[in-house]
Structures are given as structure tokens and as C-alpha cells.
Amino acid sequence: MMVDYSDWLNSLPGEFHLNTGWFLVNAIVSVSVMFLILARCRDLTDSLGWEKCQACITSLIIAAWAIGLLWLSTTTGTEPQYLTFTEKTERTFNVSHLRCENIGGCPSKKLPEDRTEATWLQGNRYVKGWILVDGNKVGLVGSNGILLTVKES
């Protein structure tokens, strides 16, 4: 039996994009703070000499490090949880240890190619077969050529 995976495909997270508003705020504040510290260091160097403004240079380095951490905190995040193709298919067809027999294995965020060779455990029996893909519909075909039935919910 072929199962429609349209809902699963639509539930997958999109690419991560940095929030433009936060990025602009971080960029403006970061550049402003760096210029203020740099201007203060230059004033101290002119009036006190190089030896006396080492603390200012250290502050500039610490500020740059802190700004970098602030920027990183807005660009990284946790990825939303979702079922991979393997997890979805194992639950749908009541199999376990599904493996695509190609170089990259089963894709996690998309459907595999039609007629991808695969192996899985069905109960305690090892099965070698294929993953059939027709548009957004997916089916598992055992070595006997028969489509697996969907697990009853």
C-alpha cells in the first residue's frame, strides 16, 4: 500500500534564517561600542602614553569577544524536532532498522529516489526490498514483490 507523505513533507522545518531585526540591532550596537572604546583608547594614548593605555586595549579585546558571543547567540539555535524519513517510514509500516542501500543512506528531510534498495526488520525477519516513491506517496516492497501494508493506528 502506498502512503501519502505530503503532510510529513509540509511539517519539515525550513532553512534557518537569522532574524534581520536582531542582526541589525547587534551590528549597530557592536560597531558603536567598538568605535567608542577605540576613540577612548586613542585619547588615552595621546595624553598618557602607550604604557598607560594597555587596559584600554584589553577592554577593546574583551568587548570584541563579548560582541562576538552576542552575535553568535542570535545566529545559532536549536533545530525544531521532526521525524526523519526513516522514523516516519518505520512507524508507518511497523518495521525497524530501515536502511537505504545507497551511499548516503536514507535522506532525513526528503523522500528518497524511486526504487531505492533498502533493508529492514519486520518482526524478527530480515527483509531486503525497495522503497517505491510516486510523487509524495511512498511504499515498501519486499523481496517477494508485494507492497507492505500500513500499520493500523
Side-chain angles (χ1 to χ4, degrees), residues 74-85:
T74 63
T75 60
T76 58
T78 58
E79 188 171 320
Q81 296 297 316
Y82 62 93
L83 288 176
T84 64
F85 172 78

Side-chain angles (χ1 to χ4, degrees), residues 16-19 69-81:
F16 180 78
H17 297 288
L18 178 62
N19 183 333
L69 285 179
L70 181 63
W71 181 77
L72 278 176
S73 72
T74 63
T75 60
T76 58
T78 58
E79 188 171 320
Q81 296 297 316

Side-chain angles (χ1 to χ4, degrees), residues 2-6 9 85 110-114 132-139:
M2 299 287 279
V3 177
D4 189 2
Y5 273 50
S6 297
L9 288 168
F85 172 78
K110 64 178 188 172
L111 299 177
E113 296 294 320
D114 186 31
L132 296 182
V133 179
D134 182 17
N136 288 342
K137 293 188 178 195
V138 175

